[in-house]
Amino acid sequence: MSRLFPRTARLAAAGALLATVPAVLAAPAHANVQKTFTYSCVFPFVDAQPLTIAIDAAIPDTVQVGIPTDQFAITAVATTGGDLASADRLAGAQTVEGSTIAKATVRGTGFTQQLTIPITIPRQTVPASGDLVLNASGKAPSLVVPNAGPGTVNLDSIAINLMLRDKDGAPIPLEQTGPDSDGDPNTFDSSCTLAPATQSTLLANVTAVLPQGGGTTPTPTPTPTPTPTPIVDHPTFSIGGSSTLKTLVQGAVPVSGSAALTLGSTGDFTGTLAIDPTTARLKALGFLPVSARVEYAPTEPLTGTITRAGALSATAKVRIKFPSISAFGVAIGGGATCQTTQPSTIALKSSGTFDVGIGGVLAGTFAISNLSGCGALNGLISPLTAGSGNTIALTLAGTGGVVQPQ
């Protein structure tokens, strides 16, 4: 039962966090915009868990160029059913508190702005039973839009840092499974990815207009013409998403990392793919809980093509390594030599339009070969992990690159 209690914490944190993001372009006295996102979040002692968050914010249809938008309060509701609250109490968790960080991108005519939005999660009581419904609120920062024209606000990522307390108010320490953002042993970090990754990250479409009457009209940035349209010929991207194993070991593996491409003149490209090490919590034979540390070592450059219409196809080859494998918390294999005997070929295709400056969604399939070098139980572990039909879904978000004329 004690494995369940971090789920309550994640709902409070992520709900309050996402509540702040859509407000970056908002102004008072506008009809509310409602959005719902579903995520998969990794926490200590539990598998990747689903999370649904409904946000409600007064995002305007228009903002005025050169005039700071107001800060204003918005709300979010995070909901889960079942008996999680009761399970958390039995585990000793009475309250939850902490902080979260959201990263968003605002794009408009002639500008792109990255936003990092911190928010404090006040201490909240864990209810004893019934459905868990957590309300959160926050204030968004002000933003100045420099040029008139259409714009968008997209949510890039969320990260969570939480503390649980018992009935006496004492922190309940939890094992830190990844990087520690604050060095506090009484808190734990978690990251969340869109699940499914094919969800749109768009929060709002907003049009920037010149001020009407009484205001000082800023000088808009001139649009050079007939200068050729610039393109990014060395784009870079951040990566988030997950892969799903469909072998005798099944479950979701969180994926994060980065990619850098070099575009050719005919739509071809080469590049590098860097996937971060991760921890996967899986089930073998449908019931045996397995935890594995997973690493990906590229064996060849990333290659592919992209059409003018934004259809991208790519091929990546990686050798999958398992530094540690445990079942019921007991090490059963892994190590520095534990890896697939053959590289996995990951065939990726874009879902919808892929923009080399903005990014897009990729999906594909791959197979896992037999394992070697995994210790005395290698002969048992390898048949469980080897197989084809595994899927992967990735969201690539543009982070910059070298701009050249087309």
Side-chain angles (χ1 to χ4, degrees):
M1 190 71 72
S2 63
R3 298 176 67 253
L4 295 176
F5 68 88
R7 302 185 203 177
T8 300
R10 85 170 172 277
L11 293 168
L17 170 64
L18 287 178
T20 66
V21 178
V24 295
L25 288 183
H30 289 273
N32 282 13
V33 172
Q34 297 177 335
K35 294 279 186 176
T36 299
F37 296 90
T38 58
Y39 283 84
S40 176
C41 302
V42 178
F43 288 84
F45 309 128
V46 292
D47 298 336
Q49 300 296 318
L51 175 68
T52 300
I53 300 168
I55 57 178
D56 191 326
I59 303 176
D61 294 328
T62 60
V63 295
Q64 297 189 62
V65 171
I67 298 177
T69 59
D70 293 334
Q71 295 187 10
F72 67 96
I74 57 177
T75 61
V77 178
T79 305
T80 182
D83 60 354
L84 290 181
S86 296
D88 291 345
R89 276 204 183 277
L90 290 174
Q94 299 291 305
T95 62
V96 57
E97 62 193 89
S99 63
T100 58
I101 293 178
K103 292 189 177 181
T105 300
V106 181
R107 293 183 177 90
T109 302
F111 84 100
T112 298
Q113 184 170 341
Q114 307 292 330
L115 300 179
T116 298
I117 308 169
I119 187 169
T120 299
I121 307 302
R123 189 175 302 182
Q124 303 181 40
T125 300
V126 177
S129 61
D131 290 348
L132 182 63
V133 179
L134 295 172
N135 299 292
S137 63
K139 283 194 173 183
S142 178
L143 179 70
V144 177
V145 178
N147 304 319
T152 59
V153 185
N154 285 77
L155 176 64
D156 297 330
S157 65
I158 62 173
I160 305 169
N161 179 267
L162 296 174
M163 176 186 293
L164 300 179
R165 293 182 184 273
D166 62 20
K167 62 182 179 60
D168 298 320
I172 301 175
L174 297 176
E175 177 187 1
Q176 184 70 48
T177 59
D180 189 351
S181 65
D182 61 3
D184 186 344
N186 294 319
T187 66
F188 61 92
D189 292 286
S190 177
S191 62
C192 298
T193 57
L194 287 171
T198 52
Q199 292 176 80
S200 170
T201 60
L202 179 68
L203 291 168
N205 292 297
V206 180
T207 301
V209 298
L210 296 175
Q212 299 297 315
T216 301
T217 302
T219 302
T221 301
T223 302
T225 182
T227 302
T229 302
I231 63 171
V232 181
D233 64 2
H234 293 282
T236 58
F237 306 91
S238 62
I239 296 175
S242 63
S243 64
T244 301
L245 301 187
K246 298 184 177 181
T247 62
L248 293 179
V249 172
Q250 298 185 348
V253 181
V255 177
S256 63
S258 62
L261 307 182
T262 298
L263 302 180
S265 59
T266 61
D268 60 310
F269 64 80
T270 60
T272 59
L273 176 67
I275 301 178
D276 300 330
T278 188
T279 298
R281 292 176 173 82
L282 310 166
K283 287 187 178 180
L285 304 174
F287 71 94
L288 178 65
V290 175
S291 177
R293 189 66 175 168
V294 186
E295 297 180 355
Y296 304 86
T299 60
E300 295 182 15
L302 182 69
T303 59
T305 60
I306 182 170
T307 68
R308 289 184 178 274
L312 182 147
S313 61
T315 300
K317 291 190 176 182
V318 299
R319 191 178 298 277
I320 304 175
K321 301 182 177 183
F322 297 92
S324 65
I325 304 173
S326 62
F328 291 110
V330 178
I332 60 172
T337 62
C338 183
Q339 61 184 18
T340 53
T341 56
Q342 299 294 327
S344 293
T345 299
I346 305 175
L348 297 166
K349 291 187 179 296
S350 57
S351 175
T353 301
F354 190 93
D355 187 305
V356 295
I358 298 175
V361 175
L362 304 179
T365 60
F366 64 99
I368 300 176
S369 70
N370 292 326
L371 301 182
S372 65
C374 298
L377 297 180
N378 187 96
L380 172 64
I381 298 170
S382 180
L384 297 176
T385 59
S388 59
N390 307 297
T391 61
I392 187 168
L394 304 175
T395 298
L396 275 65
T399 58
V402 179
V403 178
Q404 301 289 351
Q406 188 172 16

